[in-house]
Amino acid sequence: MQIQVRCECGISECREWALLELQGVLEIQPSAQHLPLNAFSIGSLCRSQQEKYYFTIGYHELEGKKVSLKKPMLVLQKVLREDPIDVESSPVVLSTQYPTQVQKTSELKAIGIIRHKILFKTRPKALISKSESKTKELK
């Protein structure tokens, strides 16, 4: 089976994306499960000068590194199109109730390429420090 992909951005100008690989599970709070995924902010990603990456999620910080993928991956977007059907060349007899017929088709459009991933393979560090307990000396 051959899948046709259309790229409008050109090979040299295609947007570069990165993949984040985390160990574990990210859970959405039950009160926010009805919201769309693009409404969430998972955390903040920072890069140091030593090419180390830090990903902060709530009160947890992950440390990772950039790794090249063996094979690049494409980021695809499904585009739905409605093409008019040529009534004269169509073998199907169309009813007069619907004078304009459309054929719904879909195509895949390349919107980016992924060549690297940022791998977080260590356990997260807690950013909350223990509060110092004050003790009174009895004399």
Side-chain angles (χ1 to χ4, degrees), residues 25-40:
V25 178
L26 292 175
E27 294 182 357
I28 299 172
Q29 295 178 349
S31 63
Q33 287 185 350
H34 67 282
L35 296 173
L37 284 178
N38 61 358
F40 292 103

Side-chain angles (χ1 to χ4, degrees), residues 7-20:
C7 184
E8 295 176 347
C9 58
I11 296 172
S12 62
E13 298 175 11
C14 211
R15 290 183 69 187
E16 184 91 18
W17 290 42
L19 183 71
L20 296 181

